[in-house]
């Protein structure tokens, strides 16, 4: 057999759950190909877990396990740390301590990166190393490196996509197979798609972290998470599905970041998309990101948005980048990230559903829309059950703030308007 490069690169994997196991499996199964690609032997020297006594169906030698991060920090033979634990603490401390020990970091943890990218990037810069985040967004889809390198000739105008696998899986199954929300969420958890607390998925936090990271890469702007409108899928009901289906819409949780003159319009919310829209046919755990550049026009990246091996694929690609980075400084885009104003200037029609005792809420909606120089373009009303009427209206284009004001006033002024639910139509 041909002699391959003998230089050894020591790796530590923090976390051996869905992502960590995928990384381990790929590094073992492809060790020879990876050695050929890098000229180095990639050797996992340590695996950090929470519970050393847990039964695991993965064959990792006993002696590699530790629950003590100090062992990893102090090991000079480890030059790359893969963080696949999730959460903010202690992930943030372990990432910064690894960087301070001059180890490259590869992470799949979008939450810690979206909340602390400034401090983490500063620690990396101060120590002459890098943090690689391909697996933080879109699971197995290459999107971070394309934004940093392949689209470098462009001014990016917008980034929009389906960036949470769990919710896309849930919406797809609810719509195509009429499955119940709870049942499909459980499936997504069993497949390892969901976060350890799935609230992050279904309430849109995970997508918020991802769109913030995409915006940071695309526009070199730091997104203040608290200023972004975020809404998940927990209020989506069968009646909304029926309306969307009849009207020719697909339903997707969409994250968008659009460059505007005075800032960035960033949001995460369920959207009714015309069926011919490129994102409308992205189903199940698949994710897709549409990027609009001034030179290239529109490009779409799509693929599995979560799961062990797809995410492992993105992590291992970053490990290879980290190996190359050790010899080629300047590989990564070094432009400083600036603060940005979040604006709300992108208007769209809204679907508004009122569930109450009568159609009276609809009259209030007409008035509230009139105050905003808007109108109802289409409406339907049906008897949902005895004593309960559902009114569904489609409005003329509104800003997010106008919609929020109308929903707020409907709830406040008309308790008998019952529940009010609104979905944006189109991106
Ligand atoms: P997971 O299955 O819950 O695994 C987490 C792993 O981290 C477990 O092995 C756990 O140890 C270990 N861990 C947790 N806290 C720890 C601590 N304080 N000290 C030491 N070890 C600790 O999580 P996952 O789904 O792999 O996700 C990991 C990260 O990747 C998250 O940030 C997630 O958002 C991100 N991500 C996930 C996916 C996906 O498809 N799941 C895709 C892309 C990105 P024990 O095994 O001992 O409990
Ligand atoms: N929970 C995340 C999702 C994992 O469902 O998209 C991938 O980041």
């Amino acid at each position: 057999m041909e002699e391959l490069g003998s230089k050894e690169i020591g790796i530590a994997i923090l976390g051996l759950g869905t992502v960590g196991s995928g990384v381990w499996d790929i590094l073992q199964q492809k060790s020879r190909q990876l050695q050929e690609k890098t000229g180095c032997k990639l050797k996992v020297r340590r695996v950090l877990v929470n519970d050393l006594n847990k039964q695991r169906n993965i064959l990792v030698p006993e002696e590699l396990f530790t629950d003590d991060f100090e062992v990893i920090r102090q090991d000079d033979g480890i030059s790359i740390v893969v963080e696949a634990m999730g959460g903010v603490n202690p992930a943030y401390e372990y990432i910064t301590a690894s960087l301070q020990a001059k180890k490259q970091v590869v992470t799949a943890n979008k939450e810690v990166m979206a909340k602390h990218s400034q401090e983490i990037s500063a620690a990396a810069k101060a120590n002459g190393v890098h943090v690689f985040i391909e697996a933080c967004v879109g699971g197995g889809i290459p999107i971070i490196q394309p934004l940093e390198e392949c689209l470098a000739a462009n001014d990016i105008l917008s980034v929009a996509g389906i960036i949470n696998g769990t919710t896309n899986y849930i919406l797809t199954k609810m719509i195509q197979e009429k499955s119940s929300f709870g049942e499909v969420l459980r499936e997504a958890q069993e497949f390892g798609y969901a976060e350890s607390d799935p609230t992050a998925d279904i309430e849109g936090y995970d997508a918020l972290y991802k769109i913030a990271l995409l915006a940071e890469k695309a526009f070199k702007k730091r997104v203040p998470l608290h200023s972004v409108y975020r809404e998940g899928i927990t209020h989506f009901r069968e009646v909304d599905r029926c309306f969307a289906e009849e009207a020719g819409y697909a339903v997707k949780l969409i994250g968008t970041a659009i460059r505007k003159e005075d800032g960035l319009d960033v949001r995460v919310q369920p959207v009714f998309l015309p069926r011919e829209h490129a994102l409308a046919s992205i189903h199940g755990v698949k994710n897709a990101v549409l990027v609009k550049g001034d030179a290239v026009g529109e490009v779409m990246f799509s693929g599995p948005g979560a799961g062990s091996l797809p995410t492992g694929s993105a992590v291992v690609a970053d490990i290879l980048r980290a190996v190359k980075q050790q010899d080629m400084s300047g590989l990564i885009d070094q432009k400083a990230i600036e603060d940005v104003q979040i604006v709300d200037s992108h208007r769209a029609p809204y679907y508004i559903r009122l569930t109450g005792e009568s159609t009276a809420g609809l009259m209030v909606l007409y008035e509230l829309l009139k105050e905003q120089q808007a109108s109802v373009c289409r409406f339907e009303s049906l008897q949902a059950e005895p004593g309960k009427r559902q009114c569904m209206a489609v409005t003329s284009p509104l800003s997010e703030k106008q919609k929020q004001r109308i929903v707020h006033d409907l709830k406040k002024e008309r308790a008998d308007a019952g529940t009010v639910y609104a979905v944006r139509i189109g991106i």
Side-chain angles (χ1 to χ4, degrees):
M1 196 179 276
E2 195 192 328
E3 190 63 25
L4 294 172
S6 57
K7 183 176 167 195
E8 190 173 289
I9 302 276
I11 296 170
I13 303 177
L14 315 186
L16 195 67
T18 304
V19 177
S21 311
V23 175
W24 169 267
D25 283 344
I26 294 174
L27 288 176
Q28 303 317 303
Q29 287 160 18
K30 309 229 171 222
S31 76
R32 189 176 164 84
Q33 290 103 304
L34 296 174
Q35 197 170 350
E36 281 168 355
K37 280 188 207 289
T38 57
C40 304
K41 193 166 166 21
L42 306 180
K43 184 169 168 42
V44 178
R45 287 171 65 94
R46 286 286 175 186
V47 174
L48 182 87
V49 292
N50 204 21
D51 178 1
L52 287 172
N53 298 317
K54 196 182 209 174
Q55 286 294 324
R56 301 176 194 273
N57 47 8
I58 181 164
L59 285 174
V60 177
E62 191 90 350
E63 66 275 13
L64 296 194
F65 281 100
T66 179
D67 60 359
D68 181 4
F69 174 72
E70 271 306 291
V71 172
I72 292 167
R73 193 182 68 82
Q74 290 175 12
D75 184 344
D76 291 335
I78 292 172
S79 58
I80 299 176
V81 172
V82 173
E83 189 272 300
M85 301 188 310
V88 172
N89 303 110
Y92 173 69
E93 288 77 11
Y94 292 176
I95 289 173
T96 43
S98 300
L99 296 168
Q100 282 154 4
K102 307 210 182 304
K103 301 178 195 301
Q104 311 267 16
V105 171
V106 173
T107 180
N109 186 339
K110 61 290 300 237
E111 180 177 4
V112 76
M113 287 310 300
K115 290 181 176 168
H116 292 292
S117 77
Q118 195 170 3
E119 302 93 311
I120 289 173
S121 302
K125 199 169 176 192
N127 290 285
V129 281
H130 282 281
V131 183
F132 299 84
I133 65 162
E134 188 62 72
C136 287
V137 183
I141 307 173
I143 179 64
I144 298 296
Q145 190 177 356
L147 281 174
E148 284 177 335
E149 294 174 19
C150 317
L151 296 172
N154 289 262
D155 281 334
I156 304 297
L157 307 174
S158 67
V159 184
I162 297 169
I163 44 180
N164 182 268
T166 301
T167 44
N168 206 40
Y169 183 80
I170 293 174
L171 286 171
T172 303
K173 286 268 186 160
M174 280 174 77
I175 291 166
Q176 292 182 351
E177 296 173 22
K178 318 280 179 282
S179 314
S180 78
F181 186 97
E183 180 192 331
V184 204
L185 172 59
R186 268 190 302 282
E187 275 177 38
Q189 288 177 296
E190 276 160 26
F191 287 132
Y193 303 154
E195 297 300 300
S196 55
D197 176 357
T199 314
D201 297 292
I202 60 180
E203 294 294 3
Y205 291 99
D206 180 79
L208 168 64
Y209 304 143
K210 290 169 176 168
I211 197 67
L213 292 175
L214 286 175
E216 190 168 309
K217 291 296 171 195
F219 307 108
K220 298 288 161 200
K221 303 285 185 204
R222 187 174 304 110
V223 171
L225 298 176
H226 60 273
S227 307
V228 175
Y229 180 74
R230 170 206 50 77
E231 185 190 329
I233 61 164
T234 46
H235 299 292
F236 179 71
R237 297 284 174 271
E238 173 66 11
V239 61
D240 309 316
R241 179 193 71 72
C242 290
F243 184 92
E245 207 156 76
E246 271 171 33
Y249 296 123
V251 187
K252 300 290 172 193
L253 183 73
I254 302 282
T256 49
I258 303 170
R259 197 167 81 173
K260 298 283 174 184
E261 253 171 38
D262 48 350
L264 283 184
D265 189 325
V266 187
R267 58 183 77 215
V268 170
Q269 61 194 161
V271 173
F272 285 176
L273 281 178
R275 279 205 196 106
E276 57 280 8
H277 191 282
L279 296 175
S281 54
I282 303 298
H283 298 310
V285 73
K286 263 178 98 175
N287 282 190
V289 182
L290 283 169
V291 182
K292 213 180 268 177
D294 61 349
V296 72
E298 194 164 73
V299 281
M300 184 160 100
F301 302 84
S302 71
S308 188
L309 288 176
T311 312
S313 155
V315 170
V316 173
D318 268 355
I319 293 175
L320 302 198
R321 278 185 98 196
V323 171
K324 279 192 200 152
Q325 178 64 25
Q326 291 178 353
D327 306 323
M328 296 165 62
S329 54
L331 181 75
I332 312 293
D333 186 353
Q334 302 277 9
K335 190 165 177 265
I337 310 290
E338 295 164 351
D339 289 332
V340 70
Q341 182 77 20
I342 300 300
V343 297
D344 172 33
S345 54
H346 210 69
R347 289 164 171 255
Y350 277 85
Y351 157 87
I352 298 185
R353 182 226 320 144
L354 309 170
T355 310
E357 286 171 5
S358 68
T359 53
L362 200 57
M363 299 321 293
V364 184
L365 175 62
Y366 271 102
E367 284 161 27
L368 293 171
L369 283 168
K370 209 167 150 198
E371 283 168 23
Q372 303 286 333
Q373 279 87 49
S375 56
V376 169
C377 305
R378 163 180 180 175
F379 89 89
E380 275 176 33
S381 153
L382 56 91
Q383 194 77 37
E385 52 192 82
K388 257 204 179 156
R389 228 171 155 94
Q390 261 154 355
C391 299
M392 285 85 69
V394 173
T395 70
S396 59
L398 299 169
S399 71
E400 180 58 41
K401 286 215 171 68
Q402 283 179 309
K403 176 225 74 183
Q404 280 174 32
R405 172 164 212 119
I406 287 167
V407 169
H408 171 266
D409 288 353
L410 271 169
K411 286 180 177 167
K412 199 177 90 189
E413 286 192 21
R414 294 297 301 229
D416 68 343
T419 52
V420 183
Y421 181 55
V423 182
R424 188 183 176 87
I425 300 181
I427 293 177

